[in-house]
Amino acid sequence: MIVGGGDDSSINHVKFTTMHKLKRTIAHERYENFEDSITFDKSDADGLSFPHYDALVITLHITYTDVKRIMVDDGSGTCIIHPRVLVQMGLEDKIIPRCITLTGFNNAVEQTFRKVSLPVLAGGVMLETTFHLMNQEMTYNAIIGRPWIHAMRAVPLSFYQVIKFPTPWGVFSIRGKPRTAQECYKIAQDCAHTKPLKGASAEAYQSAMSGTKVNPIVDAIRDPDAVESCKATIKDLDPVQLDDADLTKKAYIGHNLANLSKYCEFLTNHANLFAFFHSDMPGIPRDIATHKLNDDPLHPPVRQMRRKFNAAINEAVSEEVDKLLANGSIRESKYPQWVANVVMVKKKNRKWRMCVDFIDLNKACPIDSFPLPHIDQLIDATAGHELLSFLDAYSSYN
C-alpha cells in the first residue's frame, strides 16, 4: 500500500484525451444528476468462497491491449506499471523521465524514475492515465490507485471482488479474478520462484529505461507474467540470436521442444531467410516467380484523380515509398495508363499501413469462380505429414 506520493495535490495527473473531452463533459453533467445508487448485494457474491482475503485483481484495456493482473488499491496515491509490460507492448518510446517520491505505510521511501501516459478504457469511458515506473519486483503487472479510481468515481470492494462506477449508460461493473489474486499471492510468497524472475524483469527494466535491447540470453518474453500481461497465446519461449552484430535480430522457439540445440543450430544456419527490414527482402528474379494480372485488354484504362492527404500522412507515404524503392519492390513509372491512389490505414500500434485502391483495376479482371480451396481440402492435404508450415507476410502486401 502506498499512502503518499504524486506530482501535486490534485487528482494525481489523470487527464482526459482530446477525443473524449466532449464525451467526458456530457458524462460529467450526467454524473452530477446521477440518481442511481451504486449498491452491493448478495448477487455480487455469486461464485465466491467465503471467508476469503483476496485482493481485487482485474483486467483492463490499456492501449489496445487487455492487460491482466492489475491490482486495484484505493490505498495507493499513484498508478504504477511494471516496465516488463511496456516492453511487451512495444511502448518504450513513450516513457519520459519523471521522479517522484512514494511513502509506504511503514514510512519506507521509494522513488520512481520514469512515467508514461496511457489510455485506459473501462465501461466505454477512456481516461488518459499517468503510470509511474519503479525498479522494484512485484507480481502484478500494474497497480491502479486513487488517481484512476477517483477520476472514474469508482467504488472498489474486495469483499465482493467487484469494482463499480457510473457511466453515461448506467452503473458498470468489473469483476475481480480471485484465482489470479491467489496465484499472485503465492508467487510473492514463493522466494524460489521470484528469484528467477528478478533477472528477466531487471533486464526488461533496463531495456525500457535506456532504450537498448535486452540481453539475448535473458529475454523479457521468458517472464510468464509479461506474456500474461499482453494476453498472448504463446507459451514459454527461448530466444535464438540470428545475428551477433545486431541483437534485435532473433527468433523464438518453444522451450519444451525436444532436441532444442538442433533447432537452434538450424535457425542460425539459415538466418539469411529471415527478414527484419524492407532492405532484407530483395526482389525475386523473374525466372523464379512472376505474377501477371489477367486483365481484359478491351477494358479502358482508368486514371484516378490524385487524392490529397495531410502532412502527417504524406510523410508516412514518402517513408514507405522510399523503403519499397530501396529494396526494389517497386519502380518509377512514366506516363502510366493505369493510376491508382494509395490508401493509408491506421494500425493498432498507431502506425500507418499503405494500401492501394485497386477498385478500378479489379473491374478489368475476370472474377475467379473458385479463388480458394475449401477447408476440407486443406485438412485432407495435411494428412500423413508431421509438420504444417504457415507463411506470415511481413507487410501484408508481400
Side-chain angles (χ1 to χ4, degrees):
M1 181 176 66
I2 304 169
V3 298
D7 297 324
D8 47 39
S9 59
S10 64
I11 236 168
N12 282 343
H13 238 63
V14 178
K15 55 185 179 181
F16 308 112
T17 58
T18 303
M19 61 185 299
H20 291 87
K21 281 183 177 179
L22 179 59
K23 179 192 291 186
R24 183 57 176 152
T25 302
I26 298 174
H28 181 74
E29 295 176 356
R30 183 164 181 173
Y31 289 158
E32 297 297 337
N33 300 321
F34 191 76
E35 297 180 356
D36 294 338
S37 300
I38 297 180
T39 60
F40 301 86
D41 51 36
K42 293 183 178 180
S43 61
D44 295 314
D46 292 343
L48 298 178
S49 298
F50 294 97
H52 74 83
Y53 305 96
D54 301 330
L56 181 55
V57 180
I58 63 175
T59 299
L60 286 177
H61 193 77
I62 304 177
T63 315
Y64 309 106
T65 304
D66 289 331
V67 181
K68 301 181 179 180
R69 297 195 179 190
I70 298 179
M71 184 180 70
V72 180
D73 185 7
D74 56 358
S76 175
T78 187
C79 297
I80 300 174
I81 192 168
H82 201 282
R84 65 168 175 257
V85 181
L86 301 178
V87 172
Q88 283 290 321
M89 296 171 67
L91 300 177
E92 302 98 314
D93 56 336
K94 295 185 177 295
I95 301 175
I96 60 177
R98 180 62 178 174
C99 179
I100 64 172
T101 301
L102 304 177
T103 305
F105 70 96
N106 59 346
N107 293 328
V109 176
E110 296 288 346
Q111 285 189 334
T112 65
F113 298 94
R114 298 291 189 273
K115 72 174 184 179
V116 61
S117 295
L118 302 174
V120 179
L121 178 63
V125 179
M126 181 176 289
L127 295 181
E128 190 80 13
T129 307
T130 296
F131 291 88
H132 294 271
L133 283 72
M134 297 176 60
N135 188 15
Q136 296 290 336
E137 277 301 323
M138 62 179 186
T139 57
Y140 304 101
N141 292 317
I143 297 177
I144 289 292
R146 289 193 302 270
W148 186 85
I149 296 173
H150 289 182
M152 295 293 293
R153 301 195 177 187
V155 181
L157 189 60
S158 60
F159 181 77
Y160 282 133
Q161 286 292 296
V162 66
I163 178 172
K164 298 184 179 182
F165 50 88
T167 69
W169 310 275
V171 177
F172 189 83
S173 301
I174 300 179
R175 300 291 302 181
K177 309 290 184 181
R179 185 174 181 179
T180 303
Q182 295 167 10
E183 291 175 353
C184 292
Y185 179 78
K186 291 179 180 179
I187 292 175
Q189 296 297 317
D190 189 358
C191 297
H193 184 73
T194 55
K195 286 182 179 179
L197 293 179
K198 184 175 295 185
S201 299
E203 291 290 341
Y205 179 83
Q206 294 298 330
S207 172
M209 296 305 100
S210 61
T212 59
K213 299 300 179 181
V214 297
N215 191 294
I217 301 178
V218 182
D219 197 279
I221 204 168
R222 291 292 308 278
D223 189 339
D225 290 340
V227 176
E228 182 78 0
S229 68
C230 291
K231 200 179 180 180
T233 58
I234 56 179
K235 296 182 179 179
D236 198 14
L237 300 178
D238 278 339
V240 179
Q241 191 63 44
L242 301 178
D243 188 356
D244 295 334
D246 189 352
L247 298 181
T248 62
K249 295 183 177 181
K250 62 180 68 174
Y252 297 93
I253 60 177
H255 179 66
N256 297 324
L257 287 176
N259 299 325
L260 195 61
S261 58
K262 175 183 176 182
Y263 291 105
C264 293
E265 182 181 359
F266 176 81
L267 292 175
T268 53
N269 292 338
H270 299 82
N272 60 326
L273 300 179
F274 292 85
F276 295 90
F277 307 99
H278 287 83
S279 57
D280 297 334
M281 299 180 293
I284 301 177
R286 294 187 177 182
D287 56 345
I288 297 179
T290 303
H291 176 68
K292 293 183 179 180
L293 294 177
N294 186 24
D295 60 316
D296 187 358
L298 301 180
H299 193 284
V302 178
R303 298 184 179 91
Q304 296 181 1
M305 296 294 294
R306 182 175 179 269
R307 300 173 187 171
K308 295 182 179 180
F309 303 104
N310 58 39
I313 298 181
N314 280 332
E315 183 179 357
V317 172
S318 299
E319 292 179 358
E320 191 69 18
V321 171
D322 292 341
K323 292 178 182 178
L324 296 176
L325 285 172
N327 62 23
S329 297
I330 62 174
R331 59 181 175 84
E332 184 180 0
S333 178
K334 298 181 178 180
Y335 310 107
Q337 295 183 345
W338 288 90
V339 177
N341 283 283
V342 297
V343 179
M344 302 302 292
V345 181
K346 200 67 169 291
K347 298 191 292 186
K348 289 185 178 181
N349 58 3
R350 298 185 179 182
K351 296 182 180 180
W352 291 100
R353 172 182 286 126
M354 189 176 73
C355 307
V356 183
D357 184 8
F358 285 134
I359 184 173
D360 297 314
L361 186 59
N362 290 335
K363 295 178 181 178
C365 298
I367 300 176
D368 192 350
S369 300
F370 303 96
L372 294 174
H374 294 286
I375 186 63
D376 54 349
Q377 294 176 335
L378 295 175
I379 295 177
D380 293 341
T382 61
H385 299 276
E386 295 182 356
L387 300 176
L388 179 62
S389 176
F390 295 90
L391 177 63
D392 183 14
Y394 182 83
S395 294
S396 299
Y397 45 76
N398 295 317

